[in-house]
Amino acid sequence: MTSVALVGLDCVFPGAPDPDAYWDLLMSGGDATGEQPEGRRFGAGRGAPVRGGFIADADVFDNDFFTVSPREAAAMDPQHRLLLQCAWRALEDAGRSPRALAGSDTGVFVGMMGSEWGQLHLSDTARVTPQLGAGSSAGMAANRISYHLDLKGPSLSVDTACSSSLVAVHLAVNSLLSGECSAALAGGVNLVLSPALGMVYSQMGLASADGRCKPFSSDADGIGRSDGVGVVVLRRLQDALADGQRVYAVIRGTAVNQDGRSNGVTAPNRRSQQEVVAAAYRRAGVTPDQVRFVEAHGTGTALGDIIECGALGEVHAVPRAQPCAIGSVKGNLGHTEAAAGIAGLIKVALALHHRVVPASPFADRENPQLRLAERGLALLKAPLRLPAGEVVAGVSSFGMGGTNAHAVLA
């Protein structure tokens, strides 16, 4: 597989309105979860969460800048607005004028897990308008970016639940390598606008009591939901180098698979997780002993952590000089659901760029049932300085319905 360069990025996460703030949050081991913002008070309800990770001013949008009428902007899912702004800033971070790409074959690939905005607004049929219909469509999330920037490449939204944005990256990489597009925007978004999914987690026994994920910890008790948006700009490595673009990291290989008929449509599958990681390594041309760290899916559910560490252990329990470090940004942010994969990918890209891996939240309370040491794995109690030369890392993202994704970066 020819490598793909990550040449630009932008993100907004709880407590982190830009990539620099995101990196500071990761390096400080900060906790960005908290109480619901005043404008999103949906009450305690039956099993509804009252804490999580929330973006400040998620509704703020400069419609004039994007030549969107006030009426249309008001009807747009705020996830669309966040993606449009994030895509613009990511292109600027890549050193490209977004307007200069007009008419190009640039592709747009977006992970988006349903639309709570649509659920809240389209049910009032007396108030339905064409603008609200378009503004509530998940498919329009990608199409709107292509439309406003006049991009002519592939443009699609993908929903594989929590793996959506890393699957979007996988599709973008394949589109670049097949020659379908010469540049690609890939990312994902999530906004907590309703208590419904949190209630589902609670009834399934998956919701954290305090609204915080505690990956790989003895205290792990479930999922805390979170907002988030992130977009990366991808190009074929040779094209990026020829144009003198900064390269945060290269994507050496990606893989996607499915659990198939396992022990339940919403249950994780150890064998499939193991196979998707191994497949990504084969495509990247790397062996497990070369992988220095993995940004795991790491939701902080007792069953999910045990299954994931078992799968990673099957791959990484090989003779190696140092154990493979694992962590999960969900310990800082909560679970950003459709944006979880892009949150992990950007974390790894920044770690490779800065040549340091942030410490793992909750490493001081490691769950002994995970048997990390014997599986060639370790949680980082302090930041890990990376050596000179090539360093290889992985990113995992698993969907509740069984669609798994893994990417190898260097």
Side-chain angles (χ1 to χ4, degrees), residues 30-51:
D31 171 17
T33 62
E35 297 291 333
Q36 295 170 354
E38 192 64 37
R40 280 194 264 172
R41 298 276 184 196
F42 31 72
R46 183 170 60 91
V50 295
R51 287 180 60 87

Side-chain angles (χ1 to χ4, degrees), residues 292-293 322 352 355-357 384-392:
R292 188 63 189 87
F293 66 100
Q322 298 170 307
L352 292 169
R355 305 199 76 81
V356 59
V357 186
L384 172 68
R385 293 286 173 185
L386 298 175
E390 185 180 61
V391 177
V392 180

Side-chain angles (χ1 to χ4, degrees), residues 250-254 277 280-281 284 286 291 392-395 406-410:
V250 295
I251 300 176
R252 293 268 297 269
T254 63
V277 174
Y281 288 1
V286 303
V291 180
V392 180
V395 186
H406 192 82
V408 178
L409 280 70

Side-chain angles (χ1 to χ4, degrees), residues 174-202:
N174 287 339
S175 184
L176 283 164
L177 295 180
S178 70
E180 193 173 38
C181 59
S182 58
L185 291 161
V189 65
N190 195 66
L191 274 182
V192 181
L193 300 177
S194 158
L197 187 54
M199 293 169 68
V200 171
Y201 290 158
S202 180

Side-chain angles (χ1 to χ4, degrees), residues 32-77:
T33 62
E35 297 291 333
Q36 295 170 354
E38 192 64 37
R40 280 194 264 172
R41 298 276 184 196
F42 31 72
R46 183 170 60 91
V50 295
R51 287 180 60 87
F54 301 99
I55 293 174
D57 301 323
D59 58 337
V60 173
F61 180 65
D62 187 349
N63 60 288
D64 286 340
F65 182 82
F66 290 103
T67 63
V68 177
S69 72
R71 184 178 181 186
E72 184 179 6
M76 285 170 62
D77 186 331

Side-chain angles (χ1 to χ4, degrees), residues 152-396:
K152 302 297 180 67
S155 182
L156 57 96
S157 299
V158 58
D159 180 358
T160 59
C162 308
S163 58
S164 296
S165 55
L166 199 59
V167 172
V169 170
H170 168 79
L171 295 173
V173 166
N174 287 339
S175 184
L176 283 164
L177 295 180
S178 70
E180 193 173 38
C181 59
S182 58
L185 291 161
V189 65
N190 195 66
L191 274 182
V192 181
L193 300 177
S194 158
L197 187 54
M199 293 169 68
V200 171
Y201 290 158
S202 180
Q203 292 169 28
M204 293 176 69
L206 299 177
S208 168
D210 62 0
R212 189 173 186 194
C213 299
K214 308 169 191 69
F216 315 119
S217 168
S218 295
D219 300 322
D221 64 346
I223 294 169
R225 298 188 67 199
S226 177
D227 300 337
V229 59
V231 174
V232 295
V233 182
L234 305 175
R235 297 191 71 198
R236 289 181 288 271
L237 179 59
Q238 62 269 31
D239 296 338
L241 295 177
D243 287 348
Q245 288 184 284
R246 172 189 54 196
V247 176
Y248 283 98
V250 295
I251 300 176
R252 293 268 297 269
T254 63
V256 170
N257 75 359
Q258 230 285 335
D259 290 349
R261 190 171 180 86
S262 56
N263 63 335
V265 69
T266 61
N269 183 283
R270 173 171 164 171
R271 172 70 62 168
S272 294
Q273 291 180 11
Q274 173 187 338
E275 289 175 351
V276 79
V277 174
Y281 288 1
R282 287 194 302 272
R283 293 176 187 177
V286 303
T287 54
D289 60 292
Q290 293 176 278
V291 180
R292 188 63 189 87
F293 66 100
V294 170
E295 172 65 11
H297 185 59
T299 55
T301 63
L303 179 63
D305 284 0
I306 287 173
I307 289 177
E308 182 170 15
C309 288
L312 288 172
E314 287 294 324
V315 178
H316 292 94
V318 297
R320 53 189 304 146
Q322 298 170 307
C324 177
I326 64 169
S328 171
V329 71
K330 295 176 182 68
N332 304 99
L333 303 177
H335 191 351
T336 54
E337 296 169 343
I342 201 68
L345 185 86
I346 291 175
K347 174 184 173 181
V348 170
L350 291 174
L352 292 169
H353 178 66
H354 292 291
R355 305 199 76 81
V356 59
V357 186
S360 304
F362 307 105
D364 58 341
R365 293 279 296 163
E366 178 183 318
N367 183 353
Q369 295 182 39
L370 303 179
R371 298 160 37 214
L372 297 182
E374 67 183 79
R375 288 170 163 163
L377 308 171
L379 295 177
L380 295 176
K381 294 184 177 180
L384 172 68
R385 293 286 173 185
L386 298 175
E390 185 180 61
V391 177
V392 180
V395 186
S396 286

